[in-house]
Amino acid sequence: MLAATRKFSRSWVAAVLIGLLVVSFAIFGINDVFKGNFSNDVITAGSRGVTAADFKREFDQFRKNAEQQMGQPVTVEMAVENRVDARVLEELASSQAFGELLYKAGVRPSDGLMEKEIRKIQAFFNPISGAFDKALYQQRLNEAGLTPEKFDTVMRDEIAQSHAISAMVNGLRVPRAYTALGAVYSLEARDVSYFPIDPRSVEEPKPPTDAQLTAFMKQNEAQLTRPELRVLTVVAFSPAMIQGVLPIDEAEVQKRFDFRKDTLAKAETRSLVQVPAKDAATARTIAARLAKGEDAGAIAKSLGVEAITYVDKPRTAVADPRVGEAAFALKAGEVSGPIQGALGFAVIKVDKITPGQSVTLEQIRPQIEAELRKDAASEKVYALSQAYEDARAEGANLSDAAKKAGVPSMTVGPVTAQGMGAQGQPAPGLTPKILEAAFGLPAGGESDIQEIGNGEYFAVRVERVIPKSMPPLAEIKPQLTRVWMMQELVKRMQAKADTFVARLNKGETLEAVATAAGTKVARVVGLDRQNAGQSQALSRDALMKAFGAKPGEVFVAQDPRFGLVVAKLEAVRAPPPANLARITEETRPQMTMGLFREVGETARRAAREEVKVKIYPDKARAALGLPPLKDEGEAGAAGKAEKSK
């Protein structure tokens, strides 16, 4: 695709089409050409819209976070199967609706507040000079897939929503009765008695026949079916594979150093205090008081203003350039006279001076050489990709084109769509993008060159497709036999346990039934929801059933030590008053925070109704390269939201 596009862009056909497009703009106007129902917005919320590109960026970010948490690739198909697309759509719809509602209500952060919040983001500031770096700002936004306009909207929405929700719940505190109910629920103690069912007390099942195992396989077909596997050949174009062997031009090293040495040097910093003044006379009075040793904060307070303190800041960090110029002309301990700044009169006192430090070529040579190697490697990778595409355009297949271009290829597999080998081990060298491309091709299919990121590209060929299938009985017979016999044994134990439960429900004591079962009764006293996690006496299944039972109720639970246990909830006791009072107060902040979140969610839901949010799942799927939904039932929550009511 990339090669064809490049070739087409140089053809006479492309020139004619572009010419016609220019003429159409001239005759009809750009607005008319693009007017109509050509919006690719996947969500509309009043005057706002979430474009397909914005949705895909949020979806990909969610998917990358999931990959980091799981430690394995998460393909688009896997994410969609788990309804990640619907969750992202719902979250974006709620956020946009709330932002639109607040904007209409006039809740809009000022430019001053925006500037203050942006200055808290250290990623936008030069780590050496400490000054706001516009180029670094643009770079960070590009890395996040954001434009300055989009970032401004996101920041304003976050500030507005945070302030609005805080105002809604300011002073919120749940009633004690509310937390007391939670404390009772958490601290009520339960006494449980139980006895185990010994597996040896039931008849051991006989080994199954092949017919029984075949039927068992059909019953568990979903669990036993092996996923589709593919054998792949991958051609990778990576700067890393050639970066270390590229020579370095000393003249280029010197040239780049000369260009950057001023920005790499550490600027002089100063600690100073600035006292604003309404006029020159007041400024002279402030200067005199500072010279006598009075505290700047006290002086400012007596004049009804606020002193501004700068601690170890470069000249560029001083808000008023004229004040900064004067401050960096003083010596340590000196007080200035009245300064006519861009923002009014001021007086400053310099407390400390930290000299700047220059940087030498040898200090930053490794950094510059690494950058030059990376740039040269990127150019070399591009040249290799061009050579590969030229060979492909001449009719060579993936492997032959890689050889002609001098690029190594590797054959991997069989692997699953998640990049796991047949034995469950991760296959090396396969990224989520490579897997996504490979499992979208037929057997024998070859992809175009695609970008991975960080200057890396790849092309992949599907050598062989091994369809998902059930393993033959002979291959898994021993393991299947063990599972079958274990399940049969549990069934017999369950049947015996059911007879014991029936006897207990008829009035027999737990001790009498346990004696008949050839075992003894064990007891757990004072079990509550706080200490249940530390209990070693009861299994998780037994604990869940114990806390869901009524006093006197008998139940059967699974236990990894015995197989099954027959248990009875003997009693439920209220917590001591002292403990109840303590937990009531301790849990009040957490329950208040829970109510805080519920208020926020309720406000967002109300906003969606107010601004008439519309969601378009098919457009969202198209942004992910997926086909439209077949019916509304597949859309789930996202599909149901595609309405204006």
Side-chain angles (χ1 to χ4, degrees), residues 373-446:
R373 284 195 177 93
K374 183 177 180 181
D375 293 345
S378 296
E379 293 177 4
K380 181 66 174 177
V381 164
Y382 180 78
L384 291 174
S385 70
Q386 285 289 94
Y388 171 86
E389 288 184 339
D390 291 342
R392 291 279 285 130
E394 294 172 0
N397 62 25
L398 179 141
S399 299
D400 292 340
K403 289 179 182 177
K404 288 185 179 181
V407 182
S409 61
M410 64 173 181
T411 300
V412 184
V415 295
T416 66
Q418 292 75 44
M420 310 302 288
Q423 304 303 319
Q425 77 284 5
L430 296 181
T431 68
K433 286 192 175 181
I434 294 176
L435 290 166
E436 186 176 342
F439 277 79
L441 295 169
E446 298 180 354

Side-chain angles (χ1 to χ4, degrees), residues 323-608:
V323 173
E325 183 179 356
F328 277 72
L330 296 173
K331 297 178 182 179
E334 279 191 322
V335 176
S336 74
I339 302 170
Q340 174 66 66
L343 304 176
F345 282 94
V347 178
I348 55 174
K349 179 181 179 181
V350 176
D351 294 322
K352 186 180 71 170
I353 299 175
T354 303
Q357 295 179 357
S358 60
V359 63
T360 66
L361 173 59
E362 295 310 313
Q363 286 176 318
I364 63 167
R365 176 181 290 276
Q367 176 185 342
I368 292 178
E369 289 184 351
E371 291 174 358
L372 289 172
R373 284 195 177 93
K374 183 177 180 181
D375 293 345
S378 296
E379 293 177 4
K380 181 66 174 177
V381 164
Y382 180 78
L384 291 174
S385 70
Q386 285 289 94
Y388 171 86
E389 288 184 339
D390 291 342
R392 291 279 285 130
E394 294 172 0
N397 62 25
L398 179 141
S399 299
D400 292 340
K403 289 179 182 177
K404 288 185 179 181
V407 182
S409 61
M410 64 173 181
T411 300
V412 184
V415 295
T416 66
Q418 292 75 44
M420 310 302 288
Q423 304 303 319
Q425 77 284 5
L430 296 181
T431 68
K433 286 192 175 181
I434 294 176
L435 290 166
E436 186 176 342
F439 277 79
L441 295 169
E446 298 180 354
S447 75
D448 295 320
I449 289 183
Q450 298 186 32
E451 185 177 0
I452 298 177
N454 298 321
E456 298 184 12
Y457 302 85
F458 75 91
V460 62
R461 172 185 171 84
V462 179
E463 301 292 351
R464 185 160 56 100
V465 176
I466 304 171
K468 60 181 181 180
S469 60
M470 289 276 286
L473 174 59
E475 183 178 329
I476 60 170
K477 186 174 181 178
Q479 301 95 316
L480 206 61
T481 298
R482 284 196 296 271
V483 174
W484 186 91
M485 292 186 69
M486 180 60 69
Q487 289 193 7
E488 287 298 311
L489 182 64
V490 171
K491 287 179 183 178
R492 298 181 184 194
M493 292 172 64
Q494 183 65 54
K496 191 165 188 177
D498 290 342
T499 63
F500 293 147
V501 170
R503 292 173 60 179
L504 290 168
N505 287 334
K506 289 180 180 179
E508 288 192 55
T509 64
L510 199 67
E511 286 75 8
V513 176
T515 300
T519 185
K520 294 181 179 180
V521 174
R523 288 182 169 81
V524 180
V525 179
L527 192 67
D528 61 44
R529 287 178 174 83
Q530 287 194 330
N531 63 30
Q534 288 76 47
S535 175
Q536 301 294 322
L538 294 175
S539 67
R540 180 177 178 81
D541 185 45
L543 287 171
M544 292 178 64
K545 290 181 176 178
F547 282 103
K550 298 177 182 179
E553 185 175 343
V554 178
F555 56 89
V556 178
Q558 297 177 0
D559 190 300
R561 298 167 299 172
F562 313 115
L564 294 176
V565 296
V566 176
K568 182 178 181 180
L569 181 60
E570 301 284 5
V572 177
R573 291 177 280 105
N579 290 349
L580 182 60
R582 176 177 56 83
I583 296 298
T584 295
E585 287 304 315
E586 288 179 356
T587 59
R588 204 172 182 188
Q590 291 88 341
M591 299 193 86
T592 298
M593 185 57 66
L595 187 59
F596 175 99
R597 288 191 292 267
E598 290 177 10
V599 169
E601 288 301 316
T602 301
R604 287 155 68 92
R605 287 195 298 270
R608 290 181 61 161

Side-chain angles (χ1 to χ4, degrees), residues 25-187:
F25 286 166
I27 296 174
F28 302 108
I30 293 178
N31 289 333
D32 289 337
V33 172
F34 292 105
K35 185 172 63 179
N37 296 322
F38 296 109
S39 171
N40 72 337
D41 288 350
V42 300
I43 298 171
T44 59
S47 63
R48 295 168 174 242
V50 177
T51 66
D54 291 337
F55 166 73
K56 188 175 187 304
R57 183 186 68 248
E58 296 293 335
F59 177 89
D60 288 340
Q61 185 60 51
F62 192 103
R63 191 163 58 89
K64 289 176 183 177
N65 292 340
E67 287 177 345
Q68 293 176 355
Q69 293 175 3
M70 298 171 62
Q72 65 180 42
V74 177
T75 64
V76 170
E77 288 75 14
M78 286 177 60
V80 172
E81 285 177 7
N82 288 278
R83 303 190 56 73
V84 170
D85 56 332
R87 291 167 61 187
V88 173
L89 279 171
E90 289 296 309
E91 180 59 32
L92 286 174
S94 296
S95 178
Q96 291 296 313
F98 197 34
E100 175 74 357
L101 187 65
L102 292 177
Y103 184 83
K104 288 182 176 180
V107 182
R108 305 171 189 176
S110 66
D111 292 341
L113 180 58
M114 282 290 295
E115 181 180 354
K116 182 179 179 181
E117 291 300 318
I118 289 176
R119 284 190 172 276
K120 294 179 181 178
I121 305 176
Q122 294 299 318
F124 297 155
F125 288 79
N126 188 298
I128 297 174
S129 68
F132 180 82
D133 191 325
K134 188 174 182 180
L136 189 61
Y137 167 75
Q138 187 67 58
Q139 177 187 336
R140 293 287 186 263
L141 294 187
N142 289 339
E143 290 171 355
L146 294 169
T147 63
E149 295 76 16
K150 178 64 69 175
F151 177 71
D152 183 80
T153 300
V154 171
M155 281 286 294
R156 289 182 186 275
D157 279 354
E158 287 184 356
I159 294 171
Q161 293 182 28
S162 174
H163 287 198
I165 294 295
S166 296
M168 290 179 193
V169 298
N170 186 31
L172 176 68
R173 202 174 184 203
V174 298
R176 283 191 178 87
Y178 190 79
T179 52
L181 289 174
V184 170
Y185 177 81
S186 174
L187 293 177

